[in-house]
Structures are given as C-alpha cells and as structure tokens.
Amino acid sequence: MDTTIATPLAAADPATHATNAPPAIENASRRQFVQGVTGLTLAFCLPASATLAAPAGAGKLAATGGAAAPPFEPNAFLRIGADDTVTVISKHLEMGQGTYTGLATIVAEELDADWAKVRIEGAPADAKRYNNLFWGPAQGTGGSTAMANSWEQLRNAGAAGRAMLVQAAAKKWKVPAAEITVKDGVVMHAASKRKERFGELVADAAKEAVPTGVTLKDPKDFRLVGKHAPRKDSADKTTGRAMFTQDMQMHGMLVAMVAHPPRFGAKVQRFDATRAKAIKGVVDVVEIPSGVAVLALDTWTAKKARDTLTVEWNDTNAFRLGSEEILARYKEMAKRPGLVAHQAGDTDAAFAKAAKKLSASYDFPYLAHAAMEPMNCVVARTETGCEVWNGEQLHTGDQYALAVVFGFKPEQVTIHMLYAGGSFGRRANTKSDYVVEAAQIVKASGTKAPVKLVWTREDDMRAGYYRPLFHHALEAALDAEGRLTGWRHRLVGQSILKGSPFESMMVKNGIDAVSVEGAANLPYAIPNMTVDLHTPDDIQVPVLWWRSVGSSHTAYSTEVFLDQVARAAGKDPVAMRMDLLDKHPRHRGVLKLAAEKAGWGKPLAAGAPGTRRGRGVAVHESFNSYVAQVAEVTVDAEGKLKVDRVVCAVDCGIAINPDNVRAQVEGAVGFALSAALHGEIELKDGQVVPGNFDAYPVLRIAEMPKVEVHIVPSAEKPTGIGEPGVPPLAPAVANAIAAATGKVPTRLPFSADDLKA
C-alpha cells in the first residue's frame, strides 16, 4: 500500500515558488514506488509541524471509531497512546550506529513494554529538554556518548511511566500497587485476575503525579537489555520508508547546488551565469560566502546548471601547499620540542642511562569521512523564523549558527531530525558549514520557498572537512634487562578544537586534547615519559573529528612502536603488554580474551607458495571502552596484502544490545581497514586530488576479513561503541605484517611497494 501524509497548503506563487503556509512532506515508500504498486493512498490532514516532524513510518495511523484518548506523556522521552503504541523520543541522531534501538531498549526495559509496539521518534532541537548530559547545555550526538549519557536518564524515564501506570491500575482496581506486575505492555493483578493493556490505562495514568523517585530494575531481571532485540530502524530502511534528507519533497521546493572554490580560502572574484540561467528549470543563481549557488526545480537541473557556471576565483588568500610539503614541514617541526602534553618521571635521565635506544616515525594522511549520504539540508523561512530538516548531529550549534545568519533568536530556529546515512563526525561540524550554506542560499536569493541543498560526492570529497594529517616521532629507552624505562612521543598536526566552541574547555595551555588522546594517557607502566605536541596554525585545510578522532592515529603509532620495542627486547608482544598493564585490569581483560580466542602463540597455517603469514595484536581505550584486536594477514611476493581474520574483544560496560555491539565492531573493522588500505586525501598545490570513489576507494567485500567479536561480561555502566573498534585495527594489521615480513609500515595507507619480498 502506498501511504502518503499530506497537509493542506496554500497555493504556491509560481514566481517565487513560495507558499503562504509551512511546507509539508509528501513521502511515499521508495521501494513501493519503484515496484509500481498501485494501492490505496491515505491522506491525513495534520498540523504542519506534526507532519514535518513525523518519524519514519509515521504514515501508519490506526483508524478508530471515535476521538482517541490523548496520549500519556510522563516526561520528555516517553509517550504511550491509547492504541498501546509506546513512542520513545530520541535526543540523539540515528546515523546507522543503532542509537534508536539502544535508547528504546533502555526505556522499554524499565517500562516492561511490548517490544513489538515500541517506536522511535527523533527529538526536535531543544537543549533545555534534550541536552547531551556530557556536554552541558548543548544537544548533540558524538563521542560515542549516546548510550552512556542516556543510561540512567532513560531508565528513570521508563520507570516513572511504569510507576504511574501501576498506580492508575491500583486505584482503578482498588488493590495494592505492590501486588501489581507488568509484562510486555500488560498491567496485571494475579489475585483478582485483572489485567489491562497500557492503552487502556493511559487516561487514568495521565492523572497521576509524576514520581520524584523510582526504583530501577535489578540487572538480573532484565528482559531486553543484554538480550536480542531486533533493530527498530531496519524495516523502514529495508522498505524505503525511512526518511532521509534526500527523500524530502515539499510543495514549491527548490534544489540548490554550489560551485565551491578549488582551493581553501579562495573567494569568488566574478562569475558568469548566462548559460546556467538559460537552462529550463533554473530559478536563480546567487553568490554566497562559500561560492556560487544555483537554485532549480530539481537536482539534475541544478547540477547541470552548476556545471555550466564560469567562475573566476580570487586566490589571494588561498592555501597553496600540497600534502608532501605539509608533511616535510611537520618533520622539521618534530626536530625540536613542542608543548608538553604529559610528563612523568625524568625522561632525559632514562635515555642517558639506557642500554638500548629505539626510534621510529609514522605518517598519517588527511582522510575524508566519505559517509554514504553526502551533505544535504532543507531550510525554509517561516513567518516566525525558519525550519530545518536534515540528519541533525549538532542541534544546538546548528541552531545558533542559523540564528546568526537570519538575525533570529535561536528558539526561532526549528530543527527536525531525520535519519542520516552515516556521518563519522562530519555532520557534527562546529562551523555548521553545510547547514549555514543552505541558510545563506535562502537569504541571498530572498526566496520564500523551502530550499534543499544537495552536495554531490565530489563536493563532499573536495569541499568538506578531513581527519588531520599528522606526523609522529617516538623514542624508547630500554635497560640491560630489556625493561622499557623511557618513552618520548612527539606529535605534529592541526588542531580540530582551536577556534571552535569547545576550545575553552578542551584546549589547555595550547594542547588540543583530541590531538594527543591515546598518547598522553598511554596506560602502559613506563616510569619516565614525555609526550609533546606541535600545532601548526598556518595550515588552512579544514579539519574535523573523524571516527575515533585522535585515537585513529595515536593508537597506531603507540601500538606499532610498542611491538618494535618488544622485538628489540626479545619479548612476546602480548606478554609484554600484560606486564605493562598490571594496573589496568580492563585493558588486560580484553587483551587476554582476544589473544585466547585468536589462538595466540599457536602457529598459523601455511599460506600458498610464495606468501608470508603473520599475526599481530593491538589494544586501546577510547571513549571509555576497551578493545583488543588480533589480526591475521597474508602477504604475497609482490606485496599484496590480505587481512584474513580479525578477532576482537570489547569491554563497553553493560552491552545494551549485544547484536548491535558486534555489528558496530564489525563495521569499525571494515571502516578502519578501508582507511588503512586505501584512505588518503592528497593535496597538490592546495587542491584536493580525489573527487570520488575511483580515486578514494572504499573497502570491497572481497577485502573484508572474517571478524569475530567477543564481549566481556560487565556490570559497569554502558560506554561508547560506535568509535572504539576503529583504533586497534590498523596497528594490529601492521604488527601482523611485521611478523610476516619483518617490515614495519610507517606510513598509511599501506603500500604494496613497501611490502614486496
């Protein structure tokens, strides 16, 4: 059945493509549309704001014989309808990481809801109700904080709803509340054999006072947490009903595309839009701070017209360096001390007394986020402000940025959170770049029509933000018994936080915390250690957090170098790590589990003639989760690398959805391996070279290794899982390569030329 949700709209003005009422979504199942199914269309006249904010799958409304009872809403995170539907309001973005399912599980567990009747709705931008508790007065998703900051909050939300339903039933049945039980959305009293569904009690429950304190479940009584709970977004994504920004269609909507400068820092000198304006369907061409925007009636027309623009760029303040020049500059900077990020003991004395010294350096390229869904956003002016629809990751920041563009108060900016097709940090942009760009197009054009900004893959690759390029230099000192007595680690790379709203909190004494995370807090018991940092301030390449942020490069340098130290000391890499982690039981726990499951110490089966095989290990903590990985690789005589198997052990506290934990770690392995094998954003003369996946390949299915994920049982509070699986992969593979070939990869991505026999 093809279901459409619509709202009554005023007639559009053909001159401006504007309407006199807020825009509405007309969304049909993409899958059913493609199949050509002819069926019944149900049109419901709803308030525009309700329609626009409706989550995926909201077209299914139950027909009732009369006015339905108002829903029961005990708090900002829970709504129960008379039809027994339990709606969990998610303050966090679902971008494929399983947030919707995890948050729903927490609420449904304490509520004792019927999982089949639980649905999820994205929260609007409202930091007063939906702030990220780890971020203070700001709403947003990132840093693998969704489950961690919501755990107790949502348990209490579910428990409060349950208590009110129980109290309503107790009064209605005139029985003690203590004798009432709840299971799968049914409230029951065994002695009197009374029972009612949630929907039958909502009217009475709504009259109860919200409890100020509730009793939470003992974990031994969990029925959903830690068990199999099917994902809540899978069906809509499979059938095409899930609402992404690109699915948005509104009456009179225009589509915009932007010609961006080829170099960072360049500005428009002048442009000629004669050919673009001659294309049928083009409505306007306007200059904005980030380039020249074409507005058209559809995406293809906008792209055709954008590609015909003649733009002369002013490169006076443009960035002109290439990647190799940047790296050469970084290596020079690494020859002198930087700002100290961590100091323990007397490092100079340790090196002066050392029986053996080792040194190595490692280089990491710029990396694109390359999410499945390129950047996009819909912005519409309204009589009282503006409305925005997108895969919203940094609600509060974007709300304030849009308010500045339009001269509004932040509360006049309404943001509707849709699904996002990945992000890996890209949509949590402290500059709100693509969202602001969409608003600037609306402002510059003066249109009253809703505008959908669409970036192509090339825009996403060349006009986007990147994981910073970094250079690491390390030294180790060993005594006569092969004990690691001294450690120096110098890092050179751009700051992500400088100039952002997070600078005052996370940049101390010139040290960007995310530049050195995983290095400055190295868990190994090394008595004398110095970690310092150089942060160049004249590199104009826009940088941003990338999945696992600083740990994406610090884990590689520290774990690969530690293996080199172990070989020099004649020690087994796992045994040496276990000794150095004596005061870190959770690190040791995952390391021990991964090594046991991988068969560490047992010989690998021989490969094909002419090939070399090896096994490597790495362990790392990020976002308060602990992950160890053991990789098995095969390298042929020409240097071709095949990662055969990766065994992972993860300690993320209570695993709310074990299936999702495994899926996230498996996905992290693929994501990290893709970067290790192929990922590099190369700059030449200030211009980004790759524009699409032909020059920036992603992992092919044939390259994906067999992955095993083992979860450490834990009673600790849940921690992050979206990012922590990334950091150990590349170093584990590099250590396996070294075991197989004797060669240590010191530059990513891996090069076949470096691995030839």
Side-chain angles (χ1 to χ4, degrees):
M1 181 172 70
D2 182 13
T3 305
T4 301
I5 300 178
T7 58
L9 293 170
D13 180 345
T16 63
H17 300 276
T19 65
N20 297 318
I25 295 171
E26 292 183 309
N27 186 45
S29 161
R30 295 191 299 280
R31 183 184 184 194
Q32 291 163 349
F33 177 80
V34 172
Q35 290 174 333
V37 176
T38 302
L40 175 66
T41 297
L42 304 179
F44 298 93
C45 292
L46 303 175
S49 60
T51 306
L52 294 169
K60 295 184 178 179
L61 299 181
T64 61
F72 167 46
E73 300 182 73
N75 49 63
F77 300 97
L78 174 62
R79 183 170 67 243
I80 304 175
D83 62 352
D84 295 332
T85 299
V86 173
T87 302
V88 175
I89 312 300
S90 172
K91 65 181 181 180
H92 293 290
L93 173 64
E94 175 58 73
M95 45 190 156
Q97 81 280 40
T99 286
Y100 273 12
T101 301
L103 298 181
T105 302
I106 300 170
V107 175
E109 180 65 76
E110 293 292 345
L111 187 63
D112 279 314
D114 178 354
W115 185 247
K117 294 185 178 180
V118 175
R119 64 192 289 273
I120 321 296
E121 182 176 310
D126 184 349
K128 291 181 180 178
R129 291 188 295 167
Y130 299 115
N131 65 303
N132 187 316
L133 300 180
F134 292 171
W135 295 2
Q139 182 181 355
T141 306
S144 291
T145 59
M147 298 304 115
N149 95 97
S150 300
W151 173 243
E152 292 182 351
Q153 184 180 51
L154 293 192
R155 289 188 73 189
N156 279 286
R162 183 186 188 279
M164 294 169 74
L165 288 163
V166 167
Q167 189 60 35
K171 289 182 179 179
K172 186 174 183 179
W173 301 337
K174 296 181 173 55
V175 300
E179 295 179 4
I180 290 176
T181 58
V182 184
K183 183 178 180 181
D184 293 335
V186 179
V187 183
M188 299 169 284
H189 183 249
S192 64
K193 298 184 179 179
R194 298 286 299 272
K195 64 179 181 180
E196 291 190 30
R197 304 186 316 275
F198 282 178
E200 297 173 292
L201 289 168
V202 293
D204 293 319
K207 300 173 185 176
E208 295 294 322
V210 178
T212 55
V214 290
T215 302
L216 302 179
K217 277 188 179 181
D218 188 312
K220 68 180 176 56
D221 297 324
F222 284 163
R223 295 176 178 173
L224 290 172
V225 171
K227 310 297 191 298
H228 172 68
R231 278 186 65 142
K232 284 296 176 181
D233 54 341
S234 295
D236 284 343
K237 289 178 177 177
T238 301
T239 61
R241 286 190 58 81
M243 178 67 78
F244 294 83
T245 308
Q246 199 62 27
D247 299 318
M248 292 285 293
Q249 298 295 328
M250 299 178 180
H251 292 318
M253 185 182 79
L254 300 177
V255 176
M257 282 196 175
V258 177
H260 297 103
R263 293 185 177 89
F264 304 115
K267 298 294 182 182
V268 176
Q269 182 76 33
R270 60 182 63 86
F271 69 93
D272 184 349
T274 304
R275 289 182 296 169
K277 290 182 176 180
I279 296 174
K280 183 179 179 181
V282 172
V283 175
D284 202 358
V285 180
V286 295
E287 181 179 341
I288 57 174
S290 58
V292 180
V294 173
L295 292 95
L297 298 181
D298 58 73
T299 303
W300 179 238
T301 301
K303 183 183 185 305
K304 284 195 301 181
R306 190 272 305 267
D307 293 348
T308 68
L309 291 172
T310 300
V311 184
E312 182 180 334
W313 301 99
N314 183 339
D315 283 344
T316 302
N317 297 313
F319 185 68
R320 301 299 294 256
L321 294 180
S323 298
E324 293 304 318
E325 294 166 292
I326 296 171
L327 186 58
R329 180 180 295 186
Y330 284 10
K331 289 180 178 180
E332 283 299 312
M333 295 177 73
K335 293 178 181 178
R336 60 184 186 274
L339 297 177
V340 176
H342 174 78
Q343 179 68 59
D346 189 336
T347 312
D348 290 342
F351 275 87
K353 298 175 184 176
K356 181 179 291 188
K357 301 174 188 177
L358 288 83
S359 63
S361 64
Y362 307 93
D363 299 317
F364 306 91
Y366 289 109
L367 292 175
H369 298 79
M372 183 181 296
E373 179 186 22
M375 299 302 99
N376 47 29
C377 181
V378 176
V379 175
R381 290 288 298 266
T382 66
E383 292 181 1
T384 58
C386 75
E387 294 195 57
V388 180
W389 297 263
N390 75 323
E392 181 58 50
Q393 191 171 354
L394 207 59
H395 305 67
T396 304
D398 289 349
Q399 198 173 31
Y400 274 76
L402 289 166
V404 170
V405 172
F406 288 120
F408 295 154
K409 296 178 180 178
E411 56 267 27
Q412 291 177 271
V413 178
T414 300
I415 297 179
H416 304 287
M417 181 170 63
L418 308 178
Y419 283 121
S423 172
F424 313 118
R426 180 63 181 88
R427 290 181 176 271
N429 191 317
T430 59
K431 300 293 192 297
S432 302
D433 68 318
Y434 70 96
V435 179
V436 165
E437 184 172 84
Q440 288 170 334
I441 294 168
V442 171
K443 184 177 180 179
S445 66
T447 183
K448 296 179 181 178
V451 173
K452 182 199 290 185
L453 170 68
V454 176
W455 279 25
T456 64
R457 178 60 59 192
E458 286 78 8
D459 296 326
D460 202 62
M461 199 77 73
R462 289 180 173 148
Y465 283 64
Y466 311 94
R467 198 280 305 272
L469 182 151
F470 259 85
H471 172 71
H472 292 231
L474 291 94
E475 297 176 277
L478 286 80
D479 65 14
E481 285 72 42
R483 290 181 298 233
L484 182 55
T485 59
W487 182 276
R488 290 192 185 117
H489 188 170
R490 182 161 297 152
L491 303 90
V492 187
Q494 287 172 261
S495 169
I496 292 171
L497 296 174
K498 188 176 181 180
S500 81
F502 296 96
E503 181 175 2
S504 61
M505 297 179 288
M506 299 181 68
V507 178
K508 302 297 183 183
N509 300 318
I511 302 294
D512 182 326
V514 301
S515 291
V516 296
E517 62 184 354
N521 59 330
L522 197 68
Y524 298 115
I526 305 171
N528 307 289
M529 182 186 302
T530 301
V531 178
D532 61 29
L533 172 70
H534 285 285
T535 303
D537 57 9
D538 60 345
I539 305 298
Q540 294 174 246
V541 182
V543 293
L544 188 63
W545 21 63
W546 183 90
R547 192 175 183 181
S548 77
V549 201
S551 290
S552 68
H553 50 91
T554 59
Y556 188 94
S557 62
T558 56
E559 289 297 289
V560 173
F561 190 53
L562 190 65
D563 252 46
Q564 292 176 255
V565 171
R567 285 191 292 274
K571 297 182 179 181
D572 175 81
V574 170
M576 183 175 187
R577 284 174 171 84
M578 293 294 282
D579 288 342
L580 293 173
L581 293 170
D582 185 55
K583 295 182 180 180
H584 293 271
R586 296 181 76 177
H587 284 85
R588 286 171 59 95
V590 292
L591 179 59
K592 182 174 183 290
L593 180 59
E596 288 176 351
K597 296 296 184 180
W600 188 268
K602 298 178 182 178
L604 284 169
T611 63
R612 297 155 290 170
R613 302 202 68 215
R615 184 187 282 128
V617 66
V619 61
H620 193 77
E621 175 200 351
S622 59
F623 307 97
N624 299 311
S625 290
Y626 307 79
V627 180
Q629 295 177 355
V630 175
E632 296 174 4
V633 306
T634 300
V635 185
D636 69 14
E638 296 302 312
K640 182 179 179 181
L641 170 68
K642 178 72 172 71
V643 181
D644 305 306
R645 180 189 183 208
V646 178
V647 178
C648 311
V650 56
D651 178 353
C652 58
I654 294 172
I656 296 171
N657 301 118
D659 291 344
N660 193 57
V661 171
R662 295 185 187 95
Q664 281 299 291
V665 175
E666 290 168 358
V669 167
F671 183 87
L673 184 57
S674 185
L677 294 179
H678 309 299
E680 181 174 14
I681 287 293
E682 182 186 5
L683 272 69
K684 287 187 176 180
D685 192 26
Q687 298 188 54
V688 174
V689 175
N692 211 314
F693 291 131
D694 57 338
Y696 191 89
V698 294
L699 196 74
R700 299 291 185 177
I701 192 66
E703 297 174 300
M704 186 68 186
K706 177 184 178 182
V707 181
E708 302 170 26
V709 180
H710 303 277
I711 302 171
V712 175
S714 177
E716 299 288 339
K717 293 178 182 179
T719 49
I721 198 57
E723 303 180 80
V726 171
L729 184 279
V733 171
N735 289 337
I737 290 171
T741 67
K743 299 180 179 181
V744 180
T746 60
R747 181 166 179 165
L748 290 177
F750 299 131
S751 168
D753 289 340
D754 295 337
L755 304 181
K756 289 181 180 179

